[in-house]
Amino acid sequence: MRSIKKTFIAGVLSAIISTLLMGSSATAAPTEEVQISAAADIVRIATAEVGYKERANNCNKYSGDCAAWCGMFARWVWNKAGVKKLPPAGYGKAWVATYWAKWGADQGLLKKRPAGTRGGSPKAGDAIVFGVPGSLNGHVGLVVKVHADGKLTTIDGNLSDKVTKRTIDPKTATTNGGAVYGYVKPTF
């Protein structure tokens, strides 16, 4: 009897996590279960970093470089969560927020947000890119929750010099001069 209760509870918890991450219509196939679990790892790892504050001159623990570090943070979280394809590290690459959109498009992983909408089908674990590819004005964060009304909760590195959790409306939000361009999905 005790074994049946444990199996039942595990199944209920799995269904709850699936619903929270994927929405109420989630019916997880084996590969979807892996993605849900990995997305949960991204959320867990990013959440544990909330409140971390940079040292002087943009120096931080996410890279040996002292520079704007939102991309460093996002890449670090994805790497710790076991994401298989990562944007290349370094200046002109993952350290430039808008490079994430270019890299995501090149990899077939970018979901653009149609202008004037909350669309783009973001999911927990996705990188959210603010700013047009090729621009130096932009930002990258991580989606940790998609709300029923289309708003998003994100965790962002280097937002006010720290890791910050916030809820935004992707239709109107801007960060560092850029509107939400789209979402890059992780691969596991």
Side-chain angles (χ1 to χ4, degrees):
M1 184 67 162
R2 193 174 261 177
S3 174
I4 293 171
K5 284 182 181 178
K6 285 182 182 178
T7 302
F8 174 75
I9 291 170
V12 169
L13 288 174
S14 177
I16 290 170
I17 291 170
S18 294
T19 300
L20 289 173
L21 291 175
M22 301 290 287
S24 61
S25 64
T27 53
T31 57
E32 288 179 287
E33 288 175 3
V34 170
Q35 290 175 350
I36 291 168
S37 175
D41 286 345
I42 290 171
V43 171
R44 179 185 52 77
I45 292 163
T47 299
E49 296 299 308
V50 171
Y52 171 80
K53 190 163 176 42
E54 70 182 36
R55 299 181 301 273
N57 302 316
N58 273 329
C59 295
N60 62 85
K61 68 181 186 177
Y62 306 109
S63 162
D65 297 325
C66 294
W69 51 277
C70 60
M72 296 176 199
F73 170 74
R75 188 181 189 282
W76 181 87
V77 170
W78 271 17
N79 186 49
K80 282 194 68 102
V83 173
K84 289 184 179 171
K85 287 185 182 177
L86 296 169
Y91 296 103
K93 304 281 188 219
W95 293 185
V96 177
T98 57
Y99 177 82
W100 281 71
K102 179 192 177 319
W103 175 83
D106 291 346
Q107 301 297 315
L109 303 172
L110 177 68
K111 301 175 284 185
K112 283 181 68 175
R113 180 188 65 85
T117 73
R118 291 182 176 144
S121 302
K123 294 196 180 340
D126 287 356
I128 179 171
V129 180
F130 295 81
V132 178
S135 167
L136 292 178
N137 292 330
H139 179 73
V140 64
L142 297 169
V143 176
V144 295
K145 184 175 182 182
V146 179
H147 299 269
D149 65 359
K151 291 183 180 174
L152 305 173
T153 299
T154 65
I155 296 181
D156 306 74
N158 200 28
L159 194 64
S160 301
D161 301 329
K162 62 185 177 188
V163 178
T164 303
K165 184 176 184 178
R166 63 185 178 153
T167 299
I168 63 162
D169 182 343
K171 185 176 177 180
T172 58
T174 61
T175 302
N176 195 26
V180 176
Y181 181 80
Y183 309 94
V184 180
K185 67 180 181 177
T187 58
F188 303 100

